[in-house]
Amino acid sequence: MQVAVDVPKCVASGQCVQIAPEVFDQRDDDGMVVLLDEAPPPAEHDSVHEAALVCPAAAFLVTA
Amino acid sequence: MKADVPVLSMTREPEAPLDPPSQYGGFRREAPITRISLGPGAPTAWLVTRWEDARAVLANPATSTDLSRPGYPSRTPMSMPPGFFLFQDNPIHDVFRKVLTREFMVKRIEALREATARIFDGLMDELVVHRPVADLVEAVALPLPSLVISELLGVPYEDHVFFQEHSKVLIDNTVTGAQKAAAQGALGDYLETLVERRRKEPRDDLITRLGQQVDAGTFTTRDAADVGAFLLFAGHETTANMIGLGVLALLEHPDQLPRLYAGKAELATAIEELLRYLTIAQSGLARVAIEDFTVDETTIQAGDGLIIMLNSANRDEAIFSATADELDLGRANARQHVAFGYGIHQCLGQPLARMELQVVLPELFRRLPNLRVADRQEVIYKPHAAAYGPALLPVTW
Ligand code: HEM
Ligand code: SF4
């Protein structure tokens, strides 16, 4: 699985961080999304898919 | 005469006060995007009732939240100061939201968890003195979020009572318009003075950081005070309603209570399900189209108003299955609800609202395991408020 984030789209809802804290974080100065792991391990795949579904800004892309 | 346009009704079935009006389920199945009237003499608008369409419309940059635009679906046209940035489109919206996103970051809100638990404990210590009957709305649901917002803003402790008293008036339906305006004015003046004070004596709080934006020329002192007032407006009664309705829903499903204590993830899911099931934003979200666009094969024209009915979208069988109308605190996809909206205006305070509910609901039932609605007393709801919830919740324990 590959994850890419489009930071300017992020509205800092915090949803991805709460769902997959191993994969996503928020930048300290403005709360924008930070990708911690571009190729998360299988144990994280379900939460990454869920985070992609709920992100209000469609700010990240998940491929295979 | 425009015949055949149904009038949108917010009236719930008397025997199902926690469920949306049954009219919405019919629209969702038969006419998911349909013209409705907002009432006699009021404008018509598109009513959007499905989850997928709701998200598509709310994420569409061709929609606006600007109340003063012609076609905005409201019975009472008005305008809002820029600090009430929910009602601003971009680029102004982002100027305000971006200043605040840092404040509502998950890790910063987590740092308020202990203070929230302390505030809750204090309120409970006072509540239990009122045995045998207390109004949970007045005793806990309303004061808790306003005290937490005071903490977040950095309102000095000695002013909490002032802040609390005035914020209570703002959402009290029994006071006159003049009393409300007076409370609003007093709070606005108070916040303006506080911003000025923090510009001279900075502290580590939200008001200080708003003051720094004034220094930097991002906005005026008045704007900064308006932002403070808007946060109070957006986060006070909403959270209070969720606490009250959450308690009522849990009292109706005592078998599901153990899920609140099954672990952190289980508690988080349970709170998401309560947010979905109860969807307090009962009048839906209002938008006006600023360009033509198509949603689900329906063409919306520039100037058309739209009402996105969140409590219908959150009961959509297509996403929440045949059990959409049931409360299931273990629902795997509960978090896909749109109770906080969607798109660029999605609730900024959602990490705070979640944290407050995660603290209050389990602790309340832990401290008062026999909590129930008091015998021969009636729960009074707010059937016409934009945010649904109990006005009076007499409990005993
Ligand atoms: C359970 C409680 C809450 C619910 C159900 C709720 C719901 C919502 C909804 C549906 C919206 C979107 C409105 C729209 O798009 O038209 C919204 C926006 C907003 N909420 Fe909340 N809210 C809650 C608590 C809070 C709290 C505690 C705060 C902060 C103290 C807050 C601050 C805001 C702000 C600032 C916006 C505007 C965001 C923007 O326009 O970018 N809310 N809320
Ligand atoms: S869920 Fe989307 S909008 Fe929210 S913080 Fe993550 S990337 Fe940003």
Side-chain angles (χ1 to χ4, degrees):
Chain A
M1 168 186 274
Q2 284 292 324
V3 186
V5 294
D6 186 350
V7 179
K9 274 191 178 174
C10 173
V11 299
S13 71
Q15 301 237 51
C16 58
V17 186
Q18 286 180 322
I19 296 169
E22 306 292 320
V23 183
F24 302 103
D25 196 357
Q26 284 175 290
R27 222 152 60 185
D28 282 338
D29 51 342
D30 61 3
M32 293 297 136
V33 66
V34 176
L35 188 58
L36 300 175
D37 191 347
E38 287 170 23
E44 294 291 335
H45 289 187
D46 281 355
S47 15
V48 171
H49 282 301
E50 194 195 348
L53 265 175
V54 302
C55 173
F60 53 92
L61 190 72
V62 180
T63 42
Chain B
M1 266 305 288
K2 283 193 211 111
D4 297 318
V5 179
V7 174
L8 182 65
S9 160
M10 294 199 329
T11 310
R12 295 167 188 246
E13 319 314 317
E15 68 284 1
L18 303 186
D19 289 323
S22 54
Q23 186 194 26
Y24 301 169
F27 283 135
R28 204 165 54 236
R29 283 179 287 272
E30 311 294 333
I33 302 175
T34 192
R35 296 298 291 182
I36 41 99
S37 155
L38 295 177
T44 59
W46 294 103
L47 182 72
V48 179
T49 46
R50 283 189 185 164
W51 179 89
E52 201 175 336
D53 298 337
R55 297 213 323 174
V57 170
L58 291 172
N60 195 321
T63 62
S64 163
T65 55
D66 182 349
L67 293 148
S68 62
R69 274 184 192 267
Y72 184 94
S74 161
R75 293 178 190 89
T76 42
M78 52 182 157
S79 75
M80 287 278 182
F84 282 55
F85 56 93
L86 168 57
F87 307 104
Q88 299 294 329
D89 296 330
N90 274 333
I92 296 176
H93 165 266
D94 274 9
V95 170
F96 287 96
R97 181 153 176 144
K98 289 225 150 92
V99 165
L100 292 165
T101 44
R102 172 178 189 264
E103 311 292 336
F104 288 91
M105 262 164 64
V106 173
K107 50 196 154 201
R108 295 187 70 93
I109 295 301
E110 279 310 308
L112 282 174
R113 196 178 276 264
E114 240 170 74
T116 305
R118 233 180 13 251
I119 290 171
F120 173 74
D121 273 339
L123 294 170
M124 288 299 287
D125 293 343
E126 273 174 51
L127 173 130
V128 292
V129 174
H130 289 95
R131 202 184 176 103
V133 177
D135 172 15
L136 198 66
V137 174
E138 164 105 36
V140 178
L142 275 179
L144 181 113
S146 96
L147 290 170
V148 175
I149 294 170
S150 313
E151 192 90 16
L152 177 88
L153 292 176
V155 171
Y157 189 75
E158 62 271 20
D159 297 337
H160 278 194
V161 172
F162 167 89
F163 197 74
Q164 165 83 37
E165 288 301 317
H166 285 78
S167 43
K168 212 163 82 186
V169 177
L170 287 187
I171 53 180
D172 186 343
N173 285 327
T174 64
V175 304
T176 63
Q179 282 169 304
K180 256 188 212 189
Q184 195 159 5
L187 268 176
D189 292 347
Y190 171 79
L191 286 168
E192 230 180 295
T193 311
L194 190 59
V195 171
E196 288 305 345
R197 214 158 93 203
R198 289 286 182 269
R199 288 176 71 191
K200 292 189 206 98
E201 307 155 27
R203 301 245 180 107
D204 181 16
D205 60 30
L206 199 155
I207 294 285
T208 299
R209 287 185 286 272
L210 289 175
Q212 287 162 352
Q213 296 296 328
V214 177
D215 292 337
T218 314
F219 43 63
T220 65
T221 309
R222 185 75 230 174
D223 291 335
D226 286 341
V227 168
F230 176 54
L231 292 177
L232 178 66
F233 164 81
H236 185 196
E237 198 180 4
T238 44
T239 311
N241 287 330
M242 261 313 293
I243 293 173
L245 289 184
V247 166
L248 285 158
L250 291 167
L251 287 175
E252 278 188 13
H253 298 86
D255 53 311
Q256 297 194 39
L257 265 180
R259 295 210 68 100
L260 299 186
Y261 309 100
K264 241 179 103 182
E266 288 78 2
L267 171 60
T269 300
I271 298 302
E272 296 310 312
E273 173 67 352
L274 287 167
L275 286 160
R276 179 195 75 86
Y277 181 74
L278 298 166
T279 314
I280 56 162
Q282 66 168 345
S283 46
L285 303 185
R287 297 290 190 267
V288 55
I290 49 179
E291 284 167 36
D292 296 359
F293 65 91
T294 302
V295 54
D296 204 2
E297 293 171 11
T298 302
T299 301
I300 312 294
Q301 279 170 339
D304 286 354
L306 299 121
I307 302 284
I308 298 90
M309 202 44 94
L310 300 184
N311 58 7
S312 169
N314 277 343
R315 299 290 185 104
D316 190 340
E317 300 78 0
I319 178 89
F320 298 110
S321 85
T323 63
D325 273 325
E326 291 164 26
L327 180 75
D328 170 6
L329 296 187
R331 187 182 297 277
N333 71 345
R335 207 182 172 111
Q336 289 184 43
H337 67 72
V338 287
F340 289 123
Y342 195 72
I344 64 164
H345 294 285
Q346 192 184 59
C347 184
L348 175 68
Q350 57 185 296
L352 177 59
R354 290 189 164 107
M355 183 275 282
E356 290 174 297
L357 294 166
Q358 288 168 7
V359 167
V360 169
L361 291 173
E363 272 309 303
L364 184 61
F365 283 90
R366 196 171 358 233
R367 270 192 77 158
L368 307 176
N370 291 320
L371 184 75
R372 60 196 185 277
V373 175
D375 295 335
R376 291 181 300 278
Q377 303 254 3
E378 215 184 321
V379 180
I380 297 173
Y381 291 95
K382 297 176 276 194
H384 302 294
Y388 184 66
L392 184 78
L393 176 45
V395 292
T396 190
W397 53 91

